[in-house]
Amino acid sequence: MIKVPRKNFNIQRVMAIYQQIQIAPGMKPATIANRIGLRKDVVYRYLPALGKIALVYEDDKGGLYPCPI
């Protein structure tokens, strides 16, 4: 079962995170957080929700990438 953030769940935040992943693939969650003005833990908390909307994978170094179709 995939956990979705319940408290203050915001689809706009999820889409903002995904947009950053598309703009610059390979960014780490901390960098994404800095770019969109969120705390790092918030980005980590929203990653499971992002997985329900779009396919994203993480490399060995922690970078996030959109899955090619």
Side-chain angles (χ1 to χ4, degrees):
M1 180 177 193
I2 297 175
K3 284 188 169 185
V4 178
R6 293 181 196 160
K7 189 176 182 181
N8 298 326
F9 177 71
N10 185 330
I11 192 68
Q12 285 81 20
R13 285 183 179 178
V14 175
M15 295 310 295
I17 293 166
Y18 185 63
Q19 184 179 28
Q20 290 299 311
I21 293 169
Q22 287 181 315
I23 290 170
M27 277 194 297
K28 294 184 179 180
T31 306
I32 293 170
N34 287 336
R35 285 182 157 210
I36 59 178
L38 297 174
R39 292 186 329 261
K40 179 175 58 173
D41 63 309
V42 173
V43 173
Y44 278 108
R45 192 174 341 130
Y46 275 91
L47 289 180
L50 178 59
K52 288 188 162 203
I53 297 169
L55 296 175
V56 176
Y57 70 94
E58 183 178 2
D59 67 5
D60 295 342
K61 296 178 182 176
L64 299 171
Y65 297 86
C67 287
I69 297 177

